[in-house]
Amino acid sequence: MERALNFVVVSPHHPENFQLFASALRANGATVLGISDEPYENLSLRTREALTEYYRVDNMEDYQQMYQAVAYFAHRYGKIDRIESHNEYWMETDARLRTDFNVAGLKAKDMDRIKQKSKMKEIFRSIGVPVAEGRVFDDWDDAKQIVDELGYPVIVKPNIGVGASDTWRITSDEELSAFFVERNTATTFIMEEFIDGDIVTFDGLTDHEGRIVFYQQMLYDKPALDIISQNIDSFVHYPSEIPEDIIELGRQCVAAFDVKERFFHFEFFRLKTDKSLVALEINCRPPGGPMVEMFNFGNSIDIYDQYAQVILHQKFTADLSQRKNCGYVSRKRYNNYLYTQDDIYAWYGEFIVSSVITEGVFGDVGYFIVTDKVEDMTRVVRFIQELA
């Protein structure tokens, strides 16, 4: 009798929607083994039911404790087949554990090329993909040399970082001086030319051989840097129609980064001048926050179950022929909106498939919208975010 696949889930309870990965793996026959520092009794019923066994550590930042947890599972259940959190924060821990226990997937040696923006640029350039010009810098003189080459404005951000966190748009020597006063000195920063374009993404999932079995394109209504710095409403959209150029470029990038049996989230600029694409970065994980749910709503699928099938049965079985426009619209509690939630559902409830209470860049309240026509999506978004 063939044994069940042993899948170690790091931090199986967080974020909340990622609990469904553990549930789907268990439902498809995996032995699901959880590690976290959360007391077992604090885990949701869904998570407890999904886990074959749970190992609580005192501190997930202590690698030795994480190692001991996996060693215990290996002793009890046999060879560990997969280790995954799907979480950017634990990606290096995941990789180190895979390395030490000889588990398939990204290893410690792979982290630089998928974590450091400077290394990402090298891979993009190696396949002829344009990138934002710039590099890592050390001090004022080094930074000023880059400014002299690129000109203001420039973008400064951590060489290893997620999203727009700790990102600076610098337009003058005075602002550059302020950056050096206020920056986190423990962080290595990279400086890039400012690119006038819209951020678009190529998101999806690959199988064990690196073949793309699912993909989507995400569009932002405004830059993430503006959403964070100005604390404003946002809207992101997975369109039903995806341009061929981003599909082709996305395929090249997936191959170049050797993304296998993983979710991916590539970010590009689409230039406002000639509409060409410039590579920004790769994230070897699902898109953040509620965006994974948009995979499901926009395609009428269960991406958690499909991921489990890719891992356990090496197949993706969902019918992707019913793709529709799917949007996520946020609102801030402090804003005075013209229409109430009751108004929203009264006027456009037919298009709203779900809502969520959230925080941070994704707003305080978010609505998932599905439409056949882009015009309907635009009309609903304007209604929801219209201020009094």
Side-chain angles (χ1 to χ4, degrees), residues 265-277:
H265 174 71
F266 285 92
E267 295 185 358
F268 303 93
F269 286 111
R270 187 173 289 282
L271 301 186
K272 292 184 179 179
T273 51
D274 61 4
K275 304 302 180 183
S276 63
L277 293 165

Side-chain angles (χ1 to χ4, degrees), residues 38-229:
E38 188 74 15
Y40 180 77
E41 58 271 19
N42 290 352
L43 300 179
S44 69
L45 178 61
R46 169 191 290 160
T47 300
R48 295 199 301 267
E49 289 180 342
L51 298 178
T52 305
E53 189 168 355
Y54 179 66
Y55 190 111
R56 179 176 180 261
V57 297
D58 294 325
N59 180 8
M60 293 180 67
E61 305 283 356
D62 183 343
Y63 181 75
Q64 188 59 34
Q65 292 187 42
M66 300 294 287
Y67 180 93
Q68 289 173 351
V70 177
Y72 165 79
F73 285 143
H75 175 75
R76 183 168 171 80
Y77 295 96
K79 178 174 171 53
I80 302 301
D81 300 291
R82 300 292 187 276
I83 300 173
E84 185 59 70
S85 67
H86 297 297
N87 192 314
E88 184 84 27
Y89 188 85
W90 300 116
M91 185 172 290
E92 289 171 286
T93 299
D94 295 346
R96 190 174 173 186
L97 289 169
R98 289 191 207 102
T99 302
D100 288 344
F101 288 91
N102 192 28
V103 173
L106 292 171
K107 304 296 199 299
K109 64 180 176 58
D110 301 313
M111 288 297 97
D112 283 356
R113 66 183 174 85
I114 64 167
K115 294 286 288 184
Q116 294 188 29
K117 294 178 176 62
S118 55
K119 298 296 184 182
M120 296 175 196
K121 287 182 185 295
E122 295 177 9
I123 295 178
F124 286 129
R125 288 189 180 112
S126 73
I127 58 172
V129 177
V131 297
E133 292 301 320
R135 60 176 174 81
V136 170
F137 59 94
D138 297 318
D139 52 25
W140 165 269
D141 290 337
D142 198 14
K144 194 62 172 65
Q145 181 179 344
I146 303 174
V147 168
D148 291 342
E149 296 169 0
L150 301 178
Y152 288 118
V154 292
I155 300 297
V156 174
K157 55 191 175 184
N159 190 37
I160 299 176
V162 182
S165 176
D166 206 9
T167 297
W168 304 62
R169 184 176 187 271
I170 296 176
T171 63
S172 66
D173 285 356
E174 291 74 21
E175 291 181 4
L176 184 60
S177 296
F179 160 77
F180 275 99
V181 171
E182 299 176 29
R183 66 173 177 154
N184 181 349
T185 56
T187 299
T188 299
F189 287 89
I190 187 170
M191 181 183 291
E192 296 178 339
E193 64 177 318
F194 173 78
I195 293 182
D196 189 15
D198 298 316
I199 292 182
V200 299
T201 76
F202 186 66
D203 304 341
L205 175 66
T206 60
D207 67 11
H208 65 291
E209 293 185 355
R211 294 173 298 205
I212 298 173
V213 294
F214 172 78
Y215 62 84
Q216 284 271 193
Q217 175 199 20
M218 185 193 296
L219 306 175
Y220 295 79
D221 70 328
K222 54 183 72 72
L225 179 58
D226 291 349
I227 295 170
I228 293 174
S229 62

Side-chain angles (χ1 to χ4, degrees), residues 183-365:
R183 66 173 177 154
N184 181 349
T185 56
T187 299
T188 299
F189 287 89
I190 187 170
M191 181 183 291
E192 296 178 339
E193 64 177 318
F194 173 78
I195 293 182
D196 189 15
D198 298 316
I199 292 182
V200 299
T201 76
F202 186 66
D203 304 341
L205 175 66
T206 60
D207 67 11
H208 65 291
E209 293 185 355
R211 294 173 298 205
I212 298 173
V213 294
F214 172 78
Y215 62 84
Q216 284 271 193
Q217 175 199 20
M218 185 193 296
L219 306 175
Y220 295 79
D221 70 328
K222 54 183 72 72
L225 179 58
D226 291 349
I227 295 170
I228 293 174
S229 62
Q230 301 173 32
N231 199 25
I232 53 180
D233 290 337
S234 63
F235 164 59
V236 294
H237 175 208
Y238 280 129
S240 59
E241 301 293 331
I242 305 175
E244 284 298 324
D245 62 345
I246 200 166
I247 296 174
E248 177 57 30
L249 189 57
R251 290 188 186 281
Q252 293 177 37
C253 292
V254 165
F257 281 89
D258 196 26
V259 183
K260 293 181 178 178
E261 206 178 72
R262 293 193 67 83
F263 286 96
F264 56 84
H265 174 71
F266 285 92
E267 295 185 358
F268 303 93
F269 286 111
R270 187 173 289 282
L271 301 186
K272 292 184 179 179
T273 51
D274 61 4
K275 304 302 180 183
S276 63
L277 293 165
V278 174
L280 181 57
E281 64 182 63
I282 175 182
N283 297 278
C284 278
R285 56 164 175 76
M291 307 314 164
V292 177
E293 304 306 318
M294 295 172 67
F295 289 166
N296 293 331
F297 294 136
N299 295 277
S300 298
I301 64 173
D302 182 345
I303 195 65
Y304 305 102
D305 177 71
Q306 291 301 310
Y307 171 77
Q309 293 203 42
V310 167
I311 296 295
L312 294 164
H313 311 303
Q314 300 181 6
K315 60 183 180 181
F316 187 95
T317 61
D319 177 8
L320 299 176
S321 64
Q322 304 302 312
R323 178 175 288 158
K324 295 186 178 182
N325 300 289
C326 184
Y328 176 83
V329 193
S330 75
R331 302 217 310 187
K332 298 285 188 178
R333 288 195 180 91
Y334 60 78
N335 279 342
N336 183 21
Y337 294 98
L338 184 60
Y339 301 108
T340 67
Q341 178 158 291
D342 288 342
D343 294 331
I344 293 170
Y345 278 95
W347 281 81
Y348 294 113
E350 63 182 297
F351 299 116
I352 300 173
V353 295
S354 185
S355 63
V356 63
I357 304 298
T358 182
E359 60 183 12
V361 67
F362 301 109
D364 297 310
V365 180

